[in-house]
Amino acid sequence: VAASNPKKIHSYEDVKKNPALKLAVVNGTSHLTFAEGVGIPEKQLVVIANNADALATIATGRADAYAAVEATVASLAEKNSKLSTANPFTDPVINGKSMRSYGGFAFQKQDSDLVAAFNKALAAFKKTPEYKKILQTYGVSEQSVNASLMKTTSKLCGGN
């Protein structure tokens, strides 16, 4: 959002409730799906090609807010004094379910032993202070770190 969040945008719902507001999202992302899922009309969406376009889109007033993963938003806001993160921010609720994007790792289907070993090591690493420190270094909030600790690969990949 613009520095100091003058329009007090703290959720997708805030954009939906105010027809004068516009939300920028990258085409094909979960954030576009979230915006559509909470019912933000197409006329309030500014679909951009990539994260780098968000800086100019917000700074020039073409959109009032940009939706992306927290680390991306924090990184962009850090690079431009005309921008800030919308803090606090409430995750979108779609069909009664709170939604959030999580990062992931890709493996070949035949590498099931590697996947199992990776998931075991990741679960152990997530219990260390270093995990939290790394995420917070990239602008991830305590709330998001805690949310990530509540999710497992089986929960995320199982549609839960």
Side-chain angles (χ1 to χ4, degrees), residues 58-101:
I58 301 302
T60 62
R62 189 169 158 230
D64 303 290
Y66 172 62
V69 295
E70 187 173 24
T72 298
V73 170
S75 174
L76 292 170
E78 184 179 299
K79 294 175 185 173
N80 190 314
S81 63
K82 294 180 181 181
L83 305 176
S84 66
T85 59
N87 191 14
F89 184 81
T90 303
D91 290 332
V93 176
I94 301 170
N95 297 325
K97 185 176 178 183
S98 181
M99 306 301 286
R100 180 181 285 258
S101 292

mmCIF file of all heavy atoms in Angstrom, residues 58-101:
data_model
loop_
_atom_site.group_PDB
_atom_site.id
_atom_site.type_symbol
_atom_site.label_atom_id
_atom_site.label_comp_id
_atom_site.label_asym_id
_atom_site.label_seq_id
_atom_site.Cartn_x
_atom_site.Cartn_y
_atom_site.Cartn_z
ATOM 1 N N ILE A 58 1.509 0.853 -7.588
ATOM 2 C CA ILE A 58 1.044 1.478 -6.344
ATOM 3 C C ILE A 58 1.539 2.921 -6.255
ATOM 4 O O ILE A 58 0.784 3.831 -5.932
ATOM 5 C CB ILE A 58 1.502 0.679 -5.106
ATOM 6 C CG1 ILE A 58 0.977 -0.763 -5.160
ATOM 7 C CG2 ILE A 58 1.061 1.370 -3.811
ATOM 8 C CD1 ILE A 58 -0.516 -0.897 -5.242
ATOM 9 N N ALA A 59 2.814 3.147 -6.558
ATOM 10 C CA ALA A 59 3.399 4.485 -6.419
ATOM 11 C C ALA A 59 2.697 5.519 -7.305
ATOM 12 O O ALA A 59 2.591 6.686 -6.928
ATOM 13 C CB ALA A 59 4.892 4.442 -6.728
ATOM 14 N N THR A 60 2.206 5.096 -8.464
ATOM 15 C CA THR A 60 1.539 6.028 -9.371
ATOM 16 C C THR A 60 0.031 6.125 -9.119
ATOM 17 O O THR A 60 -0.655 6.906 -9.769
ATOM 18 C CB THR A 60 1.754 5.618 -10.843
ATOM 19 O OG1 THR A 60 1.177 4.322 -11.049
ATOM 20 C CG2 THR A 60 3.233 5.628 -11.207
ATOM 21 N N GLY A 61 -0.495 5.301 -8.211
ATOM 22 C CA GLY A 61 -1.914 5.342 -7.891
ATOM 23 C C GLY A 61 -2.794 4.552 -8.836
ATOM 24 O O GLY A 61 -4.026 4.625 -8.758
ATOM 25 N N ARG A 62 -2.201 3.777 -9.721
ATOM 26 C CA ARG A 62 -3.003 2.933 -10.624
ATOM 27 C C ARG A 62 -3.790 1.897 -9.830
ATOM 28 O O ARG A 62 -4.886 1.493 -10.212
ATOM 29 C CB ARG A 62 -2.071 2.258 -11.637
ATOM 30 C CG ARG A 62 -2.791 1.543 -12.727
ATOM 31 C CD ARG A 62 -1.821 1.122 -13.845
ATOM 32 N NE ARG A 62 -2.416 0.028 -14.566
ATOM 33 C CZ ARG A 62 -1.823 -1.114 -14.842
ATOM 34 N NH1 ARG A 62 -0.576 -1.327 -14.477
ATOM 35 N NH2 ARG A 62 -2.453 -2.059 -15.497
ATOM 36 N N ALA A 63 -3.203 1.472 -8.694
ATOM 37 C CA ALA A 63 -3.892 0.584 -7.750
ATOM 38 C C ALA A 63 -3.577 1.082 -6.352
ATOM 39 O O ALA A 63 -2.582 1.782 -6.130
ATOM 40 C CB ALA A 63 -3.438 -0.863 -7.924
ATOM 41 N N ASP A 64 -4.426 0.723 -5.405
ATOM 42 C CA ASP A 64 -4.267 1.172 -4.025
ATOM 43 C C ASP A 64 -3.524 0.171 -3.155
ATOM 44 O O ASP A 64 -3.010 0.525 -2.090
ATOM 45 C CB ASP A 64 -5.648 1.442 -3.414
ATOM 46 C CG ASP A 64 -6.405 2.463 -4.240
ATOM 47 O OD1 ASP A 64 -5.998 3.637 -4.218
ATOM 48 O OD2 ASP A 64 -7.374 2.076 -4.923
ATOM 49 N N ALA A 65 -3.491 -1.069 -3.599
ATOM 50 C CA ALA A 65 -2.830 -2.124 -2.836
ATOM 51 C C ALA A 65 -2.340 -3.197 -3.790
ATOM 52 O O ALA A 65 -2.820 -3.295 -4.929
ATOM 53 C CB ALA A 65 -3.796 -2.730 -1.817
ATOM 54 N N TYR A 66 -1.391 -3.976 -3.323
ATOM 55 C CA TYR A 66 -0.847 -5.084 -4.097
ATOM 56 C C TYR A 66 -0.872 -6.319 -3.224
ATOM 57 O O TYR A 66 -0.440 -6.279 -2.059
ATOM 58 C CB TYR A 66 0.587 -4.779 -4.542
ATOM 59 C CG TYR A 66 1.281 -5.946 -5.176
ATOM 60 C CD1 TYR A 66 0.783 -6.517 -6.346
ATOM 61 C CD2 TYR A 66 2.425 -6.498 -4.626
ATOM 62 C CE1 TYR A 66 1.401 -7.602 -6.936
ATOM 63 C CE2 TYR A 66 3.059 -7.578 -5.217
ATOM 64 C CZ TYR A 66 2.542 -8.131 -6.368
ATOM 65 O OH TYR A 66 3.157 -9.203 -6.950
ATOM 66 N N ALA A 67 -1.373 -7.416 -3.747
ATOM 67 C CA ALA A 67 -1.441 -8.667 -2.992
ATOM 68 C C ALA A 67 -0.418 -9.656 -3.523
ATOM 69 O O ALA A 67 -0.368 -9.937 -4.726
ATOM 70 C CB ALA A 67 -2.840 -9.265 -3.079
ATOM 71 N N ALA A 68 0.411 -10.152 -2.608
ATOM 72 C CA ALA A 68 1.419 -11.170 -2.920
ATOM 73 C C ALA A 68 1.810 -11.830 -1.604
ATOM 74 O O ALA A 68 1.303 -11.456 -0.545
ATOM 75 C CB ALA A 68 2.638 -10.530 -3.591
ATOM 76 N N VAL A 69 2.726 -12.778 -1.668
ATOM 77 C CA VAL A 69 3.190 -13.398 -0.430
ATOM 78 C C VAL A 69 3.900 -12.343 0.417
ATOM 79 O O VAL A 69 4.468 -11.378 -0.102
ATOM 80 C CB VAL A 69 4.100 -14.614 -0.673
ATOM 81 C CG1 VAL A 69 3.346 -15.743 -1.350
ATOM 82 C CG2 VAL A 69 5.329 -14.238 -1.463
ATOM 83 N N GLU A 70 3.857 -12.516 1.701
ATOM 84 C CA GLU A 70 4.348 -11.509 2.642
ATOM 85 C C GLU A 70 5.809 -11.130 2.409
ATOM 86 O O GLU A 70 6.158 -9.948 2.457
ATOM 87 C CB GLU A 70 4.150 -12.017 4.066
ATOM 88 C CG GLU A 70 4.462 -10.987 5.107
ATOM 89 C CD GLU A 70 4.100 -11.471 6.499
ATOM 90 O OE1 GLU A 70 4.046 -12.690 6.737
ATOM 91 O OE2 GLU A 70 3.883 -10.608 7.355
ATOM 92 N N ALA A 71 6.661 -12.098 2.146
ATOM 93 C CA ALA A 71 8.081 -11.793 1.936
ATOM 94 C C ALA A 71 8.274 -10.913 0.703
ATOM 95 O O ALA A 71 9.106 -10.004 0.698
ATOM 96 C CB ALA A 71 8.895 -13.076 1.809
ATOM 97 N N THR A 72 7.492 -11.136 -0.332
ATOM 98 C CA THR A 72 7.570 -10.315 -1.541
ATOM 99 C C THR A 72 7.126 -8.894 -1.257
ATOM 100 O O THR A 72 7.794 -7.924 -1.636
ATOM 101 C CB THR A 72 6.717 -10.933 -2.668
ATOM 102 O OG1 THR A 72 7.235 -12.227 -2.980
ATOM 103 C CG2 THR A 72 6.712 -10.059 -3.906
ATOM 104 N N VAL A 73 5.987 -8.761 -0.577
ATOM 105 C CA VAL A 73 5.467 -7.433 -0.250
ATOM 106 C C VAL A 73 6.462 -6.671 0.625
ATOM 107 O O VAL A 73 6.743 -5.497 0.391
ATOM 108 C CB VAL A 73 4.086 -7.552 0.433
ATOM 109 C CG1 VAL A 73 3.633 -6.226 1.001
ATOM 110 C CG2 VAL A 73 3.061 -8.084 -0.553
ATOM 111 N N ALA A 74 7.028 -7.339 1.624
ATOM 112 C CA ALA A 74 8.001 -6.690 2.517
ATOM 113 C C ALA A 74 9.229 -6.235 1.742
ATOM 114 O O ALA A 74 9.737 -5.130 1.953
ATOM 115 C CB ALA A 74 8.396 -7.638 3.645
ATOM 116 N N SER A 75 9.699 -7.059 0.839
ATOM 117 C CA SER A 75 10.874 -6.716 0.035
ATOM 118 C C SER A 75 10.601 -5.504 -0.854
ATOM 119 O O SER A 75 11.427 -4.596 -0.954
ATOM 120 C CB SER A 75 11.278 -7.919 -0.818
ATOM 121 O OG SER A 75 12.311 -7.576 -1.707
ATOM 122 N N LEU A 76 9.431 -5.465 -1.474
ATOM 123 C CA LEU A 76 9.087 -4.334 -2.340
ATOM 124 C C LEU A 76 8.947 -3.047 -1.536
ATOM 125 O O LEU A 76 9.424 -1.987 -1.955
ATOM 126 C CB LEU A 76 7.795 -4.628 -3.102
ATOM 127 C CG LEU A 76 7.882 -5.729 -4.157
ATOM 128 C CD1 LEU A 76 6.496 -6.088 -4.674
ATOM 129 C CD2 LEU A 76 8.789 -5.313 -5.298
ATOM 130 N N ALA A 77 8.292 -3.127 -0.378
ATOM 131 C CA ALA A 77 8.102 -1.937 0.459
ATOM 132 C C ALA A 77 9.437 -1.415 0.982
ATOM 133 O O ALA A 77 9.633 -0.201 1.107
ATOM 134 C CB ALA A 77 7.160 -2.247 1.611
ATOM 135 N N GLU A 78 10.356 -2.321 1.242
ATOM 136 C CA GLU A 78 11.677 -1.937 1.742
ATOM 137 C C GLU A 78 12.464 -1.153 0.690
ATOM 138 O O GLU A 78 13.269 -0.289 1.019
ATOM 139 C CB GLU A 78 12.453 -3.205 2.144
ATOM 140 C CG GLU A 78 13.792 -2.943 2.765
ATOM 141 C CD GLU A 78 14.466 -4.249 3.157
ATOM 142 O OE1 GLU A 78 13.893 -4.977 3.979
ATOM 143 O OE2 GLU A 78 15.551 -4.531 2.620
ATOM 144 N N LYS A 79 12.194 -1.420 -0.578
ATOM 145 C CA LYS A 79 12.927 -0.784 -1.681
ATOM 146 C C LYS A 79 12.393 0.590 -2.061
ATOM 147 O O LYS A 79 13.004 1.286 -2.855
ATOM 148 C CB LYS A 79 12.889 -1.689 -2.916
ATOM 149 C CG LYS A 79 13.629 -2.983 -2.755
ATOM 150 C CD LYS A 79 13.452 -3.864 -3.963
ATOM 151 C CE LYS A 79 14.110 -5.212 -3.731
ATOM 152 N NZ LYS A 79 13.830 -6.148 -4.808
ATOM 153 N N ASN A 80 11.215 0.975 -1.535
ATOM 154 C CA ASN A 80 10.604 2.224 -1.973
ATOM 155 C C ASN A 80 9.928 2.913 -0.794
ATOM 156 O O ASN A 80 8.974 2.382 -0.230
ATOM 157 C CB ASN A 80 9.588 1.936 -3.080
ATOM 158 C CG ASN A 80 9.086 3.186 -3.739
ATOM 159 O OD1 ASN A 80 8.739 4.158 -3.079
ATOM 160 N ND2 ASN A 80 9.030 3.162 -5.063
ATOM 161 N N SER A 81 10.388 4.087 -0.451
ATOM 162 C CA SER A 81 9.859 4.816 0.711
ATOM 163 C C SER A 81 8.415 5.282 0.519
ATOM 164 O O SER A 81 7.772 5.703 1.470
ATOM 165 C CB SER A 81 10.752 6.008 1.035
ATOM 166 O OG SER A 81 10.747 6.921 -0.049
ATOM 167 N N LYS A 82 7.896 5.209 -0.705
ATOM 168 C CA LYS A 82 6.514 5.596 -0.959
ATOM 169 C C LYS A 82 5.529 4.464 -0.643
ATOM 170 O O LYS A 82 4.324 4.649 -0.746
ATOM 171 C CB LYS A 82 6.338 6.016 -2.419
ATOM 172 C CG LYS A 82 7.089 7.271 -2.789
ATOM 173 C CD LYS A 82 6.861 7.615 -4.245
ATOM 174 C CE LYS A 82 7.646 8.871 -4.617
ATOM 175 N NZ LYS A 82 7.433 9.249 -6.007
ATOM 176 N N LEU A 83 6.063 3.295 -0.287
ATOM 177 C CA LEU A 83 5.236 2.120 -0.039
ATOM 178 C C LEU A 83 5.450 1.586 1.365
ATOM 179 O O LEU A 83 6.488 1.795 1.982
ATOM 180 C CB LEU A 83 5.582 1.009 -1.029
ATOM 181 C CG LEU A 83 5.520 1.351 -2.516
ATOM 182 C CD1 LEU A 83 5.980 0.164 -3.336
ATOM 183 C CD2 LEU A 83 4.130 1.772 -2.911
ATOM 184 N N SER A 84 4.449 0.878 1.877
ATOM 185 C CA SER A 84 4.594 0.154 3.137
ATOM 186 C C SER A 84 3.717 -1.089 3.094
ATOM 187 O O SER A 84 2.858 -1.217 2.220
ATOM 188 C CB SER A 84 4.247 1.042 4.336
ATOM 189 O OG SER A 84 2.884 1.393 4.332
ATOM 190 N N THR A 85 3.935 -1.965 4.033
ATOM 191 C CA THR A 85 3.087 -3.146 4.126
ATOM 192 C C THR A 85 1.802 -2.784 4.861
ATOM 193 O O THR A 85 1.786 -1.863 5.680
ATOM 194 C CB THR A 85 3.804 -4.295 4.869
ATOM 195 O OG1 THR A 85 4.163 -3.848 6.172
ATOM 196 C CG2 THR A 85 5.056 -4.743 4.128
ATOM 197 N N ALA A 86 0.737 -3.483 4.568
ATOM 198 C CA ALA A 86 -0.541 -3.284 5.259
ATOM 199 C C ALA A 86 -0.502 -4.140 6.516
ATOM 200 O O ALA A 86 -0.712 -5.343 6.470
ATOM 201 C CB ALA A 86 -1.697 -3.698 4.364
ATOM 202 N N ASN A 87 -0.160 -3.481 7.610
ATOM 203 C CA ASN A 87 0.017 -4.215 8.862
ATOM 204 C C ASN A 87 -0.891 -3.616 9.921
ATOM 205 O O ASN A 87 -0.815 -2.407 10.150
ATOM 206 C CB ASN A 87 1.480 -4.138 9.281
ATOM 207 C CG ASN A 87 1.804 -5.069 10.414
ATOM 208 O OD1 ASN A 87 1.027 -5.958 10.736
ATOM 209 N ND2 ASN A 87 2.941 -4.860 11.019
ATOM 210 N N PRO A 88 -1.772 -4.395 10.533
ATOM 211 C CA PRO A 88 -1.955 -5.835 10.345
ATOM 212 C C PRO A 88 -2.696 -6.128 9.054
ATOM 213 O O PRO A 88 -3.318 -5.249 8.450
ATOM 214 C CB PRO A 88 -2.810 -6.233 11.544
ATOM 215 C CG PRO A 88 -3.612 -5.011 11.856
ATOM 216 C CD PRO A 88 -2.704 -3.845 11.531
ATOM 217 N N PHE A 89 -2.646 -7.396 8.653
ATOM 218 C CA PHE A 89 -3.354 -7.844 7.469
ATOM 219 C C PHE A 89 -4.138 -9.104 7.815
ATOM 220 O O PHE A 89 -3.610 -10.005 8.465
ATOM 221 C CB PHE A 89 -2.391 -8.137 6.310
ATOM 222 C CG PHE A 89 -3.110 -8.498 5.045
ATOM 223 C CD1 PHE A 89 -3.641 -7.510 4.241
ATOM 224 C CD2 PHE A 89 -3.293 -9.819 4.690
ATOM 225 C CE1 PHE A 89 -4.340 -7.823 3.086
ATOM 226 C CE2 PHE A 89 -3.981 -10.150 3.539
ATOM 227 C CZ PHE A 89 -4.507 -9.156 2.731
ATOM 228 N N THR A 90 -5.388 -9.147 7.387
ATOM 229 C CA THR A 90 -6.246 -10.306 7.641
ATOM 230 C C THR A 90 -6.324 -11.152 6.383
ATOM 231 O O THR A 90 -6.632 -10.641 5.301
ATOM 232 C CB THR A 90 -7.661 -9.844 8.048
ATOM 233 O OG1 THR A 90 -7.547 -9.006 9.203
ATOM 234 C CG2 THR A 90 -8.555 -11.023 8.356
ATOM 235 N N ASP A 91 -6.044 -12.440 6.530
ATOM 236 C CA ASP A 91 -6.128 -13.351 5.390
ATOM 237 C C ASP A 91 -7.551 -13.393 4.842
ATOM 238 O O ASP A 91 -8.519 -13.262 5.585
ATOM 239 C CB ASP A 91 -5.712 -14.765 5.808
ATOM 240 C CG ASP A 91 -4.230 -14.890 6.100
ATOM 241 O OD1 ASP A 91 -3.440 -14.119 5.520
ATOM 242 O OD2 ASP A 91 -3.860 -15.769 6.893
ATOM 243 N N PRO A 92 -7.687 -13.612 3.532
ATOM 244 C CA PRO A 92 -9.014 -13.708 2.943
ATOM 245 C C PRO A 92 -9.753 -14.959 3.425
ATOM 246 O O PRO A 92 -9.129 -15.987 3.693
ATOM 247 C CB PRO A 92 -8.737 -13.787 1.442
ATOM 248 C CG PRO A 92 -7.349 -14.324 1.336
ATOM 249 C CD PRO A 92 -6.617 -13.813 2.549
ATOM 250 N N VAL A 93 -11.056 -14.842 3.517
ATOM 251 C CA VAL A 93 -11.897 -15.981 3.892
ATOM 252 C C VAL A 93 -12.796 -16.285 2.701
ATOM 253 O O VAL A 93 -13.547 -15.421 2.244
ATOM 254 C CB VAL A 93 -12.739 -15.677 5.152
ATOM 255 C CG1 VAL A 93 -13.670 -16.837 5.471
ATOM 256 C CG2 VAL A 93 -11.820 -15.374 6.330
ATOM 257 N N ILE A 94 -12.684 -17.511 2.211
ATOM 258 C CA ILE A 94 -13.460 -17.943 1.049
ATOM 259 C C ILE A 94 -14.235 -19.194 1.438
ATOM 260 O O ILE A 94 -13.642 -20.169 1.922
ATOM 261 C CB ILE A 94 -12.541 -18.216 -0.161
ATOM 262 C CG1 ILE A 94 -11.762 -16.937 -0.515
ATOM 263 C CG2 ILE A 94 -13.344 -18.719 -1.355
ATOM 264 C CD1 ILE A 94 -10.668 -17.128 -1.530
ATOM 265 N N ASN A 95 -15.523 -19.131 1.251
ATOM 266 C CA ASN A 95 -16.400 -20.246 1.643
ATOM 267 C C ASN A 95 -16.167 -20.668 3.085
ATOM 268 O O ASN A 95 -16.106 -21.855 3.402
ATOM 269 C CB ASN A 95 -16.215 -21.443 0.699
ATOM 270 C CG ASN A 95 -16.611 -21.120 -0.722
ATOM 271 O OD1 ASN A 95 -17.555 -20.366 -0.960
ATOM 272 N ND2 ASN A 95 -15.889 -21.679 -1.675
ATOM 273 N N GLY A 96 -15.982 -19.675 3.950
ATOM 274 C CA GLY A 96 -15.811 -19.935 5.371
ATOM 275 C C GLY A 96 -14.435 -20.418 5.783
ATOM 276 O O GLY A 96 -14.208 -20.723 6.945
ATOM 277 N N LYS A 97 -13.490 -20.464 4.845
ATOM 278 C CA LYS A 97 -12.156 -20.980 5.138
ATOM 279 C C LYS A 97 -11.105 -19.884 4.916
ATOM 280 O O LYS A 97 -11.044 -19.283 3.844
ATOM 281 C CB LYS A 97 -11.864 -22.184 4.237
ATOM 282 C CG LYS A 97 -10.562 -22.880 4.527
ATOM 283 C CD LYS A 97 -10.397 -24.105 3.650
ATOM 284 C CE LYS A 97 -9.062 -24.775 3.924
ATOM 285 N NZ LYS A 97 -8.835 -25.921 3.044
ATOM 286 N N SER A 98 -10.284 -19.658 5.934
ATOM 287 C CA SER A 98 -9.196 -18.688 5.818
ATOM 288 C C SER A 98 -8.164 -19.222 4.830
ATOM 289 O O SER A 98 -7.755 -20.386 4.915
ATOM 290 C CB SER A 98 -8.561 -18.457 7.193
ATOM 291 O OG SER A 98 -7.527 -17.507 7.093
ATOM 292 N N MET A 99 -7.740 -18.366 3.905
ATOM 293 C CA MET A 99 -6.816 -18.778 2.844
ATOM 294 C C MET A 99 -5.454 -18.103 3.017
ATOM 295 O O MET A 99 -5.382 -16.963 3.459
ATOM 296 C CB MET A 99 -7.394 -18.404 1.479
ATOM 297 C CG MET A 99 -8.793 -18.919 1.227
ATOM 298 S SD MET A 99 -8.950 -20.704 1.320
ATOM 299 C CE MET A 99 -8.169 -21.175 -0.184
ATOM 300 N N ARG A 100 -4.423 -18.819 2.639
ATOM 301 C CA ARG A 100 -3.065 -18.295 2.718
ATOM 302 C C ARG A 100 -2.212 -19.059 1.719
ATOM 303 O O ARG A 100 -2.401 -20.244 1.523
ATOM 304 C CB ARG A 100 -2.526 -18.501 4.132
ATOM 305 C CG ARG A 100 -1.110 -18.001 4.343
ATOM 306 C CD ARG A 100 -0.685 -18.296 5.777
ATOM 307 N NE ARG A 100 -1.328 -17.368 6.695
ATOM 308 C CZ ARG A 100 -0.716 -16.315 7.230
ATOM 309 N NH1 ARG A 100 0.539 -16.057 6.932
ATOM 310 N NH2 ARG A 100 -1.350 -15.527 8.062
ATOM 311 N N SER A 101 -1.271 -18.363 1.101
ATOM 312 C CA SER A 101 -0.330 -19.018 0.189
ATOM 313 C C SER A 101 0.874 -19.523 0.978
ATOM 314 O O SER A 101 1.363 -18.835 1.868
ATOM 315 C CB SER A 101 0.163 -18.040 -0.875
ATOM 316 O OG SER A 101 -0.861 -17.702 -1.743
#
